[in-house]
Amino acid sequence: MKTDLAGEFPILSRQIHGHPLTYLDNAASTQKPLRVIEAMQHCLQHEYSNIHRGVHFLSQQLTQQYDRVREKTAAFLNAASAQEIVFTKGTTEALNLLASSLGELLLQAGDKVLISAMEHHANIVPWQIACRRFGAELLVLPMNDKGELLIEDFDTYLDGVKIFSICHVSNVLGSINPIAPLIAKAKARGITTIVDGAQAVAHLPVDVQALDCDFYVFSGHKLYGPTAVGVLYGRYELLEAMPPYQGGGDMILSVSFEKTLYAPPPLKFEAGTPPIVEVIGLGAALEWLQDIGLPNLAAHEEQLRIEAEAALSELNGVSIYGQAAQKAAVISFTLQDIHPHDAGTIMDSRGLAVRVGHHCAEPIMRFFGIPATIRASFAAYNDSADIARLVAAVKTTQDLFA
Ligand SMILES: *Cc1c(COP(=O)(O)O)cnc(C)c1O
């Protein structure tokens, strides 16, 4: 892999409280390389206008660029066609779109929706809302205390299930779920499958045709791209059958006061002016990732995870939550009686950006009987020096509370 990737991220040269920034909050959001920043700035400075409805030069040119990012995204996920890529505001909006629109298409009173015990709130709450709306029931596939799903029990959860929605990688435990066999089993029972890929796409190669899922969703900002843009991949026939999520401009073929004809997917799901500049930024992020190569990145992060877990395990009083056999570089831990928020504050004073709290996954905290964890999560630009600073900051924290 290319070295000194950190040099491509201007923010990483900042000092925080007199210390070099050690950015280990990548599961919340990654920093942006110059390539993304410059692509967005260039767009705003030289190329900007609204898209899709202009006959003028700028509008036509930017529409082409926007459509090219759709094609790039389709290639990135190995989708069969760019028409299967819907741009959303992010993972949360994509899951809400599915819960509402796919829910309306598929769910009737007495039906079931299956999720897992390690979902982000974004893959829980929309389904609770949909279940209330359509009279369906929400089921939860349990996990063990290593943070591995009880896949041997999967079959016993499938009766009456219409929709199965699961995270590819847990944002708290790092577990890489064995989604391909689960999708295959669900599919054999006629169940529609959704994968929340928010924590996966920036860390391992994803091929939606190989996975054979019906939907796959992610956010731009966790993949070195900007906020306010996300992706919903959907099998075309399903996108075609689904009712629109929002109405407005851009999603129609014709409107009269009596009747509206909707545009075909993906535009049917992109009502209103889309996040144009952010989509351009997302395109640059995908190119940046492609240049590095996800297999290289996965190997780099796996090394960092093993090194960091070993170093943290050597310290007394560190409990790591999430010990799945297949794991991404997300390390949640606690320091005995030291409250994670106190630890996070002390670590911040040393220039460390880690996440403390429930990480939008309160049921996981409840499962382990803890209020919160400290989470260190790694990305392309992290290295062994970051791990050394993490370990030093943990020791400092422990010494202060000793
Ligand atoms: C971050 C995250 C989400 C929500 O993403 P937003 O960008 O906040 O919409 C959903 N699921 C997982 C697993 C996440 O990590």
Side-chain angles (χ1 to χ4, degrees):
M1 198 168 92
K2 268 197 297 185
T3 49
D4 191 32
L5 284 181
E8 297 179 36
F9 290 76
I11 201 170
L12 296 178
S13 57
R14 272 201 68 170
Q15 301 272 311
I16 304 288
H17 306 308
H19 297 269
L21 168 62
T22 303
Y23 191 78
L24 294 173
D25 194 17
N26 296 288
S29 207
T30 53
Q31 297 297 348
K32 321 303 170 200
L34 267 176
R35 177 128 160 210
V36 169
I37 297 167
E38 283 169 357
M40 293 175 75
Q41 184 174 355
H42 192 268
C43 179
L44 284 166
Q45 233 169 329
H46 303 288
E47 296 166 325
Y48 184 76
S49 81
N50 209 332
I51 58 167
H52 284 155
R53 39 191 152 233
V55 294
H56 63 79
F57 178 83
L58 286 177
S59 178
Q60 295 207 349
Q61 199 181 47
L62 197 52
T63 300
Q64 276 182 11
Q65 283 199 50
Y66 181 90
D67 290 342
R68 232 176 280 137
V69 178
R70 206 190 293 282
E71 281 161 24
K72 250 180 241 169
T73 309
F76 178 71
L77 293 174
N78 192 33
S81 136
Q83 305 315 305
E84 299 185 316
I85 302 297
V86 176
F87 290 122
T88 68
K89 211 154 56 106
T91 304
T92 301
E93 189 182 49
L95 289 168
N96 276 280
L97 187 162
L98 289 171
S100 170
S101 173
L102 190 67
E104 189 175 330
L105 179 70
L106 297 180
L107 294 180
Q108 291 181 345
D111 286 343
K112 290 170 183 161
V113 174
L114 178 63
I115 59 172
S116 92
M118 61 175 85
E119 299 307 318
H120 187 283
H121 293 166
N123 200 27
I124 302 174
V125 185
W127 298 115
Q128 290 173 332
I129 294 170
C131 284
R132 199 174 327 123
R133 182 169 156 203
F134 304 111
E137 186 190 343
L138 190 63
L139 299 184
V140 181
L141 180 66
M143 64 177 170
N144 63 24
D145 53 17
K146 286 178 162 175
E148 294 168 329
L149 295 174
L150 302 187
I151 50 174
E152 55 287 0
D153 295 348
F154 186 60
D155 292 339
T156 66
Y157 283 85
L158 299 184
D159 281 346
V161 171
K162 289 285 162 62
I163 297 171
F164 170 49
S165 187
I166 186 171
C167 62
H168 197 167
V169 172
S170 160
N171 67 309
V172 179
L173 305 169
S175 321
I176 302 175
N177 290 318
I179 54 171
L182 300 185
I183 290 166
K185 280 187 174 180
K187 224 182 142 79
R189 304 270 296 250
I191 298 166
T192 300
T193 56
I194 300 168
V195 182
D196 170 358
Q199 284 307 328
V201 282
H203 308 283
L204 45 100
V206 170
D207 179 333
V208 292
Q209 292 190 75
L211 284 174
D212 207 20
C213 54
D214 294 308
F215 297 94
Y216 195 101
V217 300
F218 67 87
S219 299
H221 71 97
K222 292 181 181 178
L223 170 107
Y224 309 99
T227 53
V229 60
V231 169
L232 184 160
Y233 156 79
R235 210 183 280 284
Y236 195 79
E237 313 83 76
L238 278 165
L239 291 177
E240 247 183 340
M242 282 159 56
Y245 174 55
Q246 293 181 328
D250 264 359
M251 54 78 74
I252 51 88
L253 290 177
S254 79
V255 176
S256 71
F257 286 116
E258 291 71 38
K259 184 174 168 56
T260 290
L261 287 176
Y262 304 131
L267 291 184
K268 183 168 71 177
F269 298 103
E270 293 182 9
T273 299
I276 303 166
V277 183
E278 288 76 8
V279 166
I280 298 304
L282 174 67
L286 294 179
E287 281 172 12
W288 185 83
L289 262 175
Q290 233 133 31
D291 280 0
I292 291 173
L294 272 163
N296 296 331
L297 204 52
H300 170 69
E301 291 176 6
E302 175 68 353
Q303 249 178 342
L304 292 176
R305 175 183 74 81
I306 290 168
E307 189 182 329
E309 286 188 345
L312 287 171
S313 302
E314 270 183 21
L315 303 176
N316 288 325
V318 177
S319 309
I320 295 178
Y321 293 87
Q323 316 261 6
Q326 298 288 314
K327 217 189 138 176
V330 174
I331 306 175
S332 273
F333 60 97
T334 56
L335 303 174
Q336 286 182 335
D337 298 337
I338 306 172
H339 196 281
H341 285 86
D342 294 334
T345 305
I346 296 165
M347 292 165 85
D348 170 61
S349 75
R350 302 295 187 276
L352 259 96
V354 293
R355 194 66 148 197
V356 296
H358 55 59
H359 317 293
C360 298
E362 282 187 31
I364 300 182
M365 301 299 119
R366 216 160 285 133
F367 176 84
F368 286 107
I370 51 178
T373 71
I374 307 157
R375 182 184 69 188
S377 50
F378 295 81
Y381 36 70
N382 292 121
D383 59 16
S384 297
D386 295 326
I387 295 174
R389 288 199 282 259
L390 170 67
V391 169
V394 168
K395 279 188 189 152
T396 303
T397 306
Q398 289 177 319
D399 288 348
L400 278 171
F401 279 88

